[in-house]
Amino acid sequence: MVVSIKTNSSALTALLQLNAINRDMDEIQDRVATGYKINSAKDDAGLYAVAQKQRSDLSGYNSVRQSVQRGGNILDVSIGAMESISNLLVDMKAKAVQAADPSLSASSRALINADYQAYVAQIATMIDAATFDGFNLINKNPPVPATDDLKVLSEPTANPALSINIAAINVKAATTAILGNVSTLAGAQTEVTALSTMLQTVNSQLATLGGSSLRLSAHESFVIKFQDSLTIGIGNLVDADLGRESARLTAVQIQQQLSTQSLQIANSRPQQILALFKN
């Protein structure tokens, strides 16, 4: 090997090795500091793009969950109101049957009718009050599907065709709009028949709302599980294995020390040339 003070090939080789080791050290330190093995596009452009797409979907499903939860709250309020209305109709039918007793005096029937009208007013109040976040699902007279139906997001593209649609209900038409009075015997008999029909209609609508509520609950459970799967998938793509990085860090630190010593030895060679000329 030529001994030269112009070109120190051993030092250059040692320096290249040390720079490579330092790059490995920087990479390990970045992974330990951030917890990611893929922290930017320069680490792995393909995996980074895939992870970003999954993160976008995960964020979108957060909005889907909010929409489903809002829909569930609207349904809870609507179901609560419909259950109360159903209970009131049961009580009203009892009042109507009582007023249909031919032996009752007009004054007694008038007192029953006063209670009956209070029930009618209470039903109207319940229908108007069944509102959550400005949305009332049961006070639509008549319902216009395009604007009155409850539409709930089901996936992050927000495609209207894939939304969960819950039809609005025209409770007023089935209750307060046709409820009369029981102040007369004929009126009481008419109300007994009408209330039976109303009860059947309200209970049928209540069953529909209950089914819709179960559907939203099932979809929310699906969304939560899907988000968990996305989170795990993203982690598998980009998360650093800190146990492995710890082992690499120890090995690289030793390599760094050895490379530094090698560079020091290589840099000392020109000094050895001086010894050749001292005598």
Side-chain angles (χ1 to χ4, degrees), residues 25 36 58 60 90 93 121-122 128 133 158 165 167 178 180 184 193 199 226 241 255 258 265 267:
M25 178 67 75
Y36 294 121
L58 184 61
V90 170
K93 185 174 181 181
Q122 183 60 29
D128 292 336
D133 193 24
N165 191 77
I178 60 174
T184 65
T193 302
L199 263 172
F226 194 76
D241 184 344
Q255 293 174 32
L258 292 174
I265 293 171
N267 285 334

Side-chain angles (χ1 to χ4, degrees), residues 5-85:
I5 62 172
K6 295 292 187 179
T7 303
N8 190 340
S9 59
S10 296
L12 292 175
T13 300
L15 182 60
L16 287 173
Q17 182 64 25
L18 182 58
N19 287 338
I21 291 172
N22 286 338
R23 285 194 295 271
D24 287 344
M25 178 67 75
D26 291 341
E27 177 186 282
I28 293 170
Q29 289 176 336
D30 285 345
R31 291 182 178 185
V32 172
T34 64
Y36 294 121
K37 65 181 178 183
I38 308 296
N39 195 41
S40 66
K42 67 180 181 180
D43 296 327
D44 189 316
L47 285 180
Y48 184 78
V50 173
Q52 285 296 90
K53 171 62 170 61
Q54 299 306 310
R55 289 187 179 111
S56 174
D57 289 345
L58 184 61
S59 178
Y61 272 109
N62 287 330
S63 298
V64 171
R65 281 187 66 185
Q66 292 175 2
S67 179
V68 171
Q69 289 169 351
R70 177 177 180 270
N73 290 333
I74 291 172
L75 280 173
D76 287 344
V77 170
S78 301
I79 289 171
M82 292 289 283
E83 288 174 344
S84 297
I85 291 170

Side-chain angles (χ1 to χ4, degrees), residues 80-93 119 123 126 199 202-203 206:
M82 292 289 283
E83 288 174 344
S84 297
I85 291 170
S86 179
N87 292 334
L88 280 179
L89 289 175
V90 170
D91 293 338
M92 290 173 69
K93 185 174 181 181
Y119 285 139
I123 288 177
M126 288 178 176
L199 263 172
V202 168
N203 290 337
L206 189 54

